[in-house]
Amino acid sequence: MQHRVIVLGAGYSGAIAAGRLAKRLHREDVAITLVNSEPDFVERIRMHQLAAGQDLKPRPYSEMFAGTGVEVRIANVTGVDVDGKTVTVTGPKGAAQLAYDTLVYALGSGWNSQGVPGTAEHAYEIAGRPGALRLRERLARLGAGERVVVVGGGLTGLEAATEIAESRPDLDVALAADGALGDWLSPKGRAHLWKVFGKLGITVYEHAAVTRVDADRVATADGRDIPAAVTVWTTGFAVHPIAKATALKVTGTGQIVVDGMMRSVSHPDVYAVGDAALAMGAGDKPLRMSCASGGPMAWQAADAIAAGLTGGKLPNAPLRYFNQCISLGRKEGLIQYVTADDRARRAALTGRVAAVYKELVCKGAAWYVANPTFGLPVRRRRVTPDRAAKASAARASA
């Protein structure tokens, strides 16, 4: 009997995990099913570009996984029973229940309103394609001089504000940040950020924690009212809620607690990768929600699953950081070099060269999803008989 592996979610982490498993394991021994709500891969790190009116290259899963042995199932995940080892999905043909021997949970995250009143009713978000397209349509209807306020001074906020300001110089773009602009960057990085914001005419409101969003303005904790024809909310991400409804051990925010192999500490037949998981990196610090974290996590999980089934050596992927890559429109960029635990170093790359660097990173991330072993030939290993027998016995007793 084939060992059944189900991967939930086909973002960067889930797609890499599924593809890498297919490269590592013999097709006769495993059945790999990848469940995702959309038929095309979404380059999430380009959603600010999509919102600003740029068109992205279609990347259908039917082409990406053609000939790999991975079955792609387009459906929404509506439930996970980690004790019964089943997943409930709803697709074009209705609801279905899928049984698994190993589960890779990669449902990721969406936008986080932070509980601020008015965000759901009045704010726009770019955490996914539907939100980015909704914002794109709204921006297209804005007239010259109307104001767009981006709330959030993190990477997503910086990229959204600069992309919109560059593509629509007729608009009045502003950014409201809880702290100082780029306060986590090196002095060189902060100086370049201010230079680009000044060149693009972006107004910056520092130490402006937004406490309410209205249809035509946002209110801050220090009593300011900032006019806004459109408010773009980029204050972090919230994980998919399904994990929190299961018996899995999760954090207060719903992330699945995993060990160094990305294996659930409460249910060893479940692995979690990407934003859905709380994994520890260098300096025993939690990995941040990002594409930079998700790729190595998926690599670690896929190789750990393959090693467990074939008796191979457990992997040791480097769960560390090297830089933070920030696009500041199409012509400017900022590459902030960081320590292994994500603290800014003095060195930073800026300007046009940094913009090219960031573009190569984005292209490389998409390429790696389709080439999870870096395009190198990999020997598919057979599941060892004793491990297959254990999986069959566990299945029969379930």
Side-chain angles (χ1 to χ4, degrees):
M1 297 178 69
Q2 288 181 308
H3 188 89
R4 300 164 300 180
V5 180
I6 294 179
V7 181
L8 303 181
Y12 290 97
S13 298
I16 289 172
R20 195 170 177 91
L21 278 169
K23 291 282 189 178
R24 295 289 190 204
L25 298 171
H26 202 283
R27 292 184 188 179
E28 293 181 8
D29 298 337
V30 293
I32 302 171
T33 303
L34 178 61
V35 181
N36 196 64
S37 59
E38 297 184 69
D40 300 317
F41 175 69
V42 176
E43 291 186 82
R44 190 173 182 181
I45 56 178
R46 291 190 187 271
M47 289 300 97
H48 56 288
Q49 295 177 236
L50 184 64
Q54 299 165 41
D55 294 324
L56 304 182
K57 177 183 177 181
R59 299 181 185 275
Y61 291 116
S62 58
E63 295 179 8
M64 187 178 294
F65 290 101
T68 65
V70 175
E71 178 193 354
V72 179
R73 184 160 186 157
I74 307 305
N76 291 304
V77 180
T78 56
V80 177
D81 181 356
V82 292
D83 293 323
K85 301 179 72 170
T86 60
V87 174
T88 303
V89 302
T90 302
K93 297 181 180 180
Q97 196 172 71
L98 311 178
Y100 66 82
D101 297 303
T102 298
L103 179 69
V104 180
Y105 187 103
L107 289 179
S109 62
W111 76 308
N112 189 350
S113 70
Q114 306 288 354
V116 174
T119 51
E121 297 84 359
H122 305 299
Y124 291 79
E125 51 87 13
I126 55 173
R129 182 158 51 192
L133 289 174
R134 179 170 169 261
L135 175 58
R136 176 187 178 123
E137 188 275 333
R138 181 68 183 94
L139 291 174
R141 290 189 284 110
L142 287 180
E146 292 196 82
R147 170 166 271 202
V148 176
V149 175
V150 178
V151 180
L155 301 181
T156 305
L158 299 180
E159 295 191 327
T162 51
E163 201 74 49
I164 294 169
E166 183 185 82
S167 64
R168 289 291 305 274
D170 60 316
L171 297 177
D172 178 9
V173 179
L175 182 137
D178 280 1
L181 182 67
D183 54 10
W184 75 94
L185 298 169
S186 66
K188 180 179 179 180
R190 289 196 299 273
H192 186 69
L193 197 57
W194 275 108
K195 177 184 176 182
V196 174
F197 269 55
K199 186 165 60 176
L200 292 173
I202 302 171
T203 302
V204 179
Y205 296 92
E206 296 186 301
H207 308 290
V210 173
T211 56
R212 190 183 73 253
V213 179
D214 294 325
D216 60 351
R217 67 190 58 245
V218 298
T220 66
D222 59 2
R224 284 180 281 184
D225 275 347
I226 303 174
V230 171
T231 298
V232 184
W233 196 263
T234 67
T235 63
F237 303 104
V239 299
H240 197 289
I242 283 183
K244 203 168 185 177
T246 70
L248 290 165
K249 182 176 181 179
V250 299
T251 66
T253 57
Q255 285 182 295
I256 299 170
V257 182
V258 297
D259 62 16
M261 296 295 110
M262 304 302 116
R263 197 172 195 173
S264 164
V265 298
S266 63
H267 291 72
D269 46 16
V270 176
Y271 292 74
V273 294
D275 292 357
L278 178 69
M280 307 307 289
D284 205 30
K285 290 173 60 176
L287 297 175
R288 60 179 162 88
M289 293 184 181
S290 66
C291 178
S293 304
M297 292 169 74
W299 184 359
Q300 184 84 332
D303 288 1
I305 293 169
L309 291 173
T310 64
K313 183 180 178 181
L314 287 173
N316 186 26
L319 302 177
R320 55 154 298 162
Y321 299 102
F322 297 94
N323 52 45
Q324 292 182 10
C325 303
I326 311 169
S327 67
L328 302 173
R330 296 298 87 205
K331 300 175 183 177
E332 286 278 0
L334 171 58
I335 309 302
Q336 176 63 66
Y337 297 104
V338 298
T339 59
D341 61 352
D342 213 25
R343 291 175 290 113
R345 298 182 184 274
R346 293 183 62 183
L349 185 66
T350 61
R352 180 66 178 174
V353 174
V356 173
Y357 187 116
K358 174 60 189 287
E359 177 61 21
L360 290 174
V361 167
C362 291
K363 288 181 177 178
W367 180 87
Y368 181 43
V369 169
N371 300 272
T373 57
F374 301 100
L376 299 174
V378 177
R379 176 187 170 193
R380 289 186 173 89
R381 296 186 177 275
R382 303 300 301 255
V383 174
T384 57
D386 60 323
R387 293 170 189 270
K390 288 179 181 178
S392 298
R395 186 187 310 178
S397 61

